[in-house]
Amino acid sequence: MAEYFITAKLILDTALHVGTGKGSEPTDSPVRRAGDGRLLIPGRAIGGSLRTLATRLAPRLGMEECQILVHRSKRQVDRSCACQVCQLFGDIHPVDRPDNIKQEEWTDSRASDLWVYDAWLAADQAIYTRDGVGIDRQTGAAVRNVKYDYEVIPAKAVFGLRLRLKSDNENSLQLLAVTLAEWQAGRGQLGGNVARGLGRFHLKEVTCRQTVLQNASDLIAYLSADDQASAGKIIEEQPAKWLNDARQRVIPLPGQEGGPPAATGFIQVNFRLAFTNLFLINDPLMSLVAGFDHAPLVEMLSDKNSRRPLLSGSSLRGVLRSHGEKIVRTLATDHWWKKDKATAADRFLRYCPACNALARSKEEPLASCDARLAGIISDNDETPAGALCLGCRLFGSQRRGSRLWVRDAPLVAGSLDETSWKAQDFLAIDRFTGGGLDTAKFDAAPLLKAQSEGQLLLHDPEEWELGWLSLLLRDLADGLLTIGFGAAKGYGQVKAEAFTWTVGYLHEEDYSAWGLAGLEGQQQEGLYYESSHMAAGWLPTGWEKAAQQWVVEFNKVVKAPSSHDNWQTFKKDSFFGNGRLLEQYGVSRVEVGNDE
């Protein structure tokens, strides 16, 4: 059996957080360290990310889909999954052969053919802490007890990636080549808070070696080598051949129940955020260092002496989600008011397309989806998209991640200097005396006319999601959103400009499925074709008809509540027919069989 060793440099494009799952005294979420304190990315985190990507790409190569993608009502839980992904990474659901089934009728579970080693930091690296806070949707102020912090490894840090594959299976070799090519193209993700700007990286200097044992001398050299990977022979052309062979196998998207879990493509939007005057994302650590009460967030880079101002992906994402919630709630209110004024308020609460993500009690109006589903769908069970509100489906929730990634937006100006910021003092006025209020003085150091490079990446988009995203980007381009601290003081006024849309697709049918016509300037990176379109305004020329259709589909979804047949139908069960479900869990936001 052939043995391959793959090495590469894993270079962070944004900061990275791979947490321990346990808080500590200095921070709520420290990064992963070895016993001697060295920073590393655990092999299981790398292998999990590789497997997730391979699972979604395999069906597009004509390979059998993994059981994890099959609707749970149709999964063969009593048998091992023999798909290509499970052959490469190990069986997702190992099961022993029952005594009543013959060996020739059974496929044995198998361990992984791929060994994934821990990735160690190439050089000593200082880390830093970021702060996060929840924003109240009604007041716009920070929510009490929703403040947290977490450690991150800075962007541009370099880790050493090392893989070992023992397999002669051509499908396994092609699938691994495809996933690594996607990482080389910069579409990799690792760790936590990926949808909020962290964990983006790319591979560089990828080398593949094959162990050759043709005689006794080869075996002795292999066994005596300090590093067995270095004893192999470099094969330069073979990985490219595996990738090209895989590209020839791409098929149209197979039909899927409940939406396509297999990869379809992505739409990436790059833009420049130009702040008209003052802008500030407060960083408590920088405030302490600079001596101001409010100082801008500054990203530390792998070079200890290098730093740059930053608009964090979590801040931009929070603004987009909050504004998006206002849009869908307005449309829903208008719809139910026109339908029946007398029942509009009750219907809004039942069918509201955007929950209050910070409402932790199911008794609260617009309770969060997580609170609403508590006790109905176990935390250990998969939560179907149809059980969540539209806001949680697009932007994510505690039960289901988001396919919309909002990247950290570094400022174009680079490092701070005396011309890029402005010191300001503030003082509260005593309403009785008209003088300054004691202990109510504070200062700030906002950035002046800053510009940052923003990026949104939506994986496997549906038309209604593109419609919602289009409305958000249009309002961002029109200057209707404010970002960061001090909106009431004139801070954070911004307009988006210089839009570039990039469409990634695996097959021409994927491209046309979004209503887009005319493939222009496509090039192939990894497995995907990419077609880029610069926009004179916020939308590329010729996309008006497609965007209008996206918005139409978005309106349909907002006005037609979806139903979920796994927990909603319990209301019609004989055991719950006496209304005990409503008594225990309250009125559901979606009613089965209601076409309104």
Side-chain angles (χ1 to χ4, degrees):
M1 180 178 292
E3 182 180 49
Y4 302 91
F5 288 92
I6 301 167
T7 58
K9 288 184 177 180
L10 192 156
I11 304 174
L12 300 183
D13 297 322
T14 64
L16 171 71
H17 173 78
V18 179
T20 63
K22 297 180 181 180
S24 62
E25 187 172 331
T27 180
D28 296 320
S29 183
V31 295
R32 180 75 61 175
R33 293 176 173 85
D36 59 2
R38 290 188 297 165
L39 298 174
L40 79 157
I41 304 175
R44 60 180 176 271
I46 299 172
S49 182
L50 269 174
R51 181 172 193 141
T52 299
L53 180 57
T55 302
R56 296 175 54 249
L57 292 176
R60 300 307 306 271
L61 300 178
M63 301 177 185
E64 181 183 0
E65 65 182 0
C66 184
Q67 283 293 309
I68 200 66
L69 297 183
V70 179
H71 192 276
R72 54 183 173 178
S73 63
K74 297 183 179 181
R75 292 175 188 168
Q76 298 180 354
V77 295
D78 58 340
R79 286 184 175 271
S80 299
C81 180
C83 75
Q84 193 59 56
V85 176
C86 287
Q87 292 183 43
L88 179 60
F89 292 95
D91 204 302
I92 192 70
H93 183 67
V95 179
D96 294 330
R97 179 175 63 87
D99 295 336
N100 60 343
I101 297 181
K102 297 179 180 180
Q103 181 63 50
E104 58 269 18
E105 299 175 355
W106 181 260
T107 302
D108 289 328
S109 300
R110 57 186 296 163
S112 173
D113 291 336
L114 181 69
W115 294 12
V116 184
Y117 297 87
D118 292 342
W120 297 92
L121 196 64
D124 290 339
Q125 176 63 63
I127 60 176
Y128 67 104
T129 302
R130 285 196 190 181
D131 285 85
V133 65
I135 301 298
D136 189 292
R137 301 303 197 268
Q138 295 181 346
T139 66
V143 180
R144 290 181 179 271
N145 302 323
V146 192
K147 162 76 169 60
Y148 57 94
D149 55 32
Y150 51 95
E151 288 182 330
V152 295
I153 301 173
K156 298 187 179 182
V158 180
F159 290 83
L161 177 70
R162 189 164 180 254
L163 309 174
R164 177 189 179 191
L165 176 65
K166 296 186 68 173
S167 177
D168 289 319
N169 189 305
E170 193 69 18
N171 288 336
S172 293
L173 295 171
Q174 290 181 17
L175 189 57
L176 182 59
V178 164
T179 54
L180 292 178
E182 285 297 297
W183 281 13
Q184 284 182 274
R187 288 189 283 270
Q189 57 87 17
L190 279 170
N193 294 334
V194 172
R196 300 179 181 181
L198 303 184
R200 301 287 295 277
F201 68 91
H202 69 278
L203 298 184
K204 195 173 181 181
E205 299 180 18
V206 179
T207 302
C208 182
R209 297 174 183 266
Q210 182 179 7
T211 301
V212 179
L213 302 177
Q214 295 180 341
N215 50 49
S217 298
D218 292 337
L219 179 60
I220 293 174
Y222 175 77
L223 294 176
S224 60
D226 293 333
D227 182 6
Q228 294 177 343
S230 62
K233 177 184 177 182
I234 296 179
I235 51 175
E236 298 180 352
E237 299 180 357
Q238 194 63 38
K241 181 181 181 302
W242 293 330
L243 176 59
N244 289 330
D245 290 344
R247 287 171 173 172
Q248 303 304 315
R249 299 179 55 171
V250 173
I251 62 173
L253 181 69
Q256 300 283 347
E257 179 183 349
T264 59
F266 62 86
I267 289 186
Q268 176 179 300
V269 188
N270 289 71
F271 50 87
R272 183 171 62 248
L273 291 169
F275 291 88
T276 57
N277 193 8
L278 301 175
F279 162 68
L280 179 61
I281 297 292
N282 184 50
D283 180 14
L285 179 60
M286 184 54 61
S287 299
L288 182 64
V289 173
F292 285 88
D293 296 311
H294 301 281
L297 173 64
V298 175
E299 181 184 31
M300 311 296 180
L301 300 179
S302 57
D303 181 356
K304 296 181 180 180
N305 298 320
S306 180
R307 59 184 62 182
R308 60 183 179 183
L310 182 76
L311 166 58
S312 66
S314 59
S315 297
L316 179 56
R317 182 185 182 84
V319 169
L320 292 174
R321 178 165 189 163
S322 178
H323 190 71
E325 290 171 351
K326 293 178 183 178
I327 292 175
V328 293
R329 288 173 182 165
T330 300
L331 292 175
T333 303
D334 180 68
H335 173 66
W336 297 119
W337 181 262
K338 290 179 179 178
K339 203 169 188 67
D340 187 351
K341 295 181 181 179
T343 61
D346 179 65
R347 289 179 180 273
F348 175 79
L349 291 178
R350 291 193 184 194
Y351 301 108
C352 181
C355 71
N356 182 351
L358 298 176
R360 300 175 178 177
S361 172
K362 64 180 63 178
E363 304 301 328
E364 296 184 54
L366 302 185
S368 67
C369 287
D370 184 59
R372 179 170 55 86
L373 296 176
I376 300 176
I377 298 179
S378 169
D379 293 341
N380 297 324
D381 292 336
E382 177 184 341
T383 301
L388 303 173
C389 70
L390 298 184
C392 289
R393 287 173 63 180
L394 179 60
F395 292 97
S397 71
Q398 292 176 308
R399 291 175 172 266
R400 197 177 181 95
S402 173
R403 290 177 283 108
L404 177 63
W405 297 357
V406 183
R407 189 168 177 170
D408 283 348
L411 268 67
V412 178
S415 60
L416 289 170
D417 59 36
E418 64 276 5
T419 64
S420 60
W421 62 281
K422 178 179 180 180
Q424 285 194 325
D425 287 277
F426 297 91
L427 178 64
I429 300 299
D430 189 304
R431 299 308 192 261
F432 182 73
T433 65
L437 185 64
D438 290 341
T439 71
K441 180 185 179 302
F442 63 96
D443 53 22
L447 299 172
L448 181 63
K449 294 186 176 181
Q451 293 188 357
S452 63
E453 298 290 346
Q455 182 189 99
L456 307 180
L457 178 62
L458 180 58
H459 294 271
D460 308 321
E462 299 180 33
E463 285 193 311
W464 70 267
E465 294 173 326
L466 292 173
W468 199 357
L469 188 61
S470 296
L471 295 177
L472 290 172
L473 293 176
R474 183 192 64 183
D475 287 353
L476 191 61
D478 289 342
L480 301 181
L481 282 68
T482 58
I483 301 175
F485 165 86
K489 302 176 177 63
Y491 286 24
Q493 297 178 8
V494 63
K495 285 189 176 183
E497 53 191 30
F499 283 82
T500 300
W501 295 63
T502 301
V503 182
Y505 58 97
L506 296 172
H507 194 277
E508 290 186 6
E509 291 186 8
D510 301 331
Y511 189 91
S512 58
W514 298 315
L516 300 173
L519 297 176
E520 300 177 1
Q522 63 267 36
Q523 58 183 0
Q524 194 163 21
E525 275 195 274
L527 189 61
Y528 286 90
Y529 288 97
E530 294 184 2
S531 178
S532 296
H533 308 261
M534 297 186 65
W538 67 274
L539 189 69
T541 303
W543 283 31
E544 292 81 4
K545 184 177 180 180
Q548 182 62 38
Q549 179 60 33
W550 298 341
V551 174
V552 169
E553 291 300 319
F554 170 60
N555 275 273
K556 289 181 181 179
V557 173
V558 172
K559 297 175 183 178
S562 60
S563 62
H564 179 244
D565 57 4
N566 286 296
W567 64 276
Q568 295 291 344
T569 52
F570 286 165
K571 292 188 297 181
K572 296 184 179 181
D573 187 275
S574 59
F575 180 77
F576 292 101
N578 58 2
R580 286 183 57 195
L581 184 69
L582 295 179
E583 179 183 338
Q584 294 178 11
Y585 301 117
V587 177
S588 66
R589 191 156 300 139
V590 178
E591 291 186 357
V592 170
N594 193 325
D595 296 328
E596 297 178 320

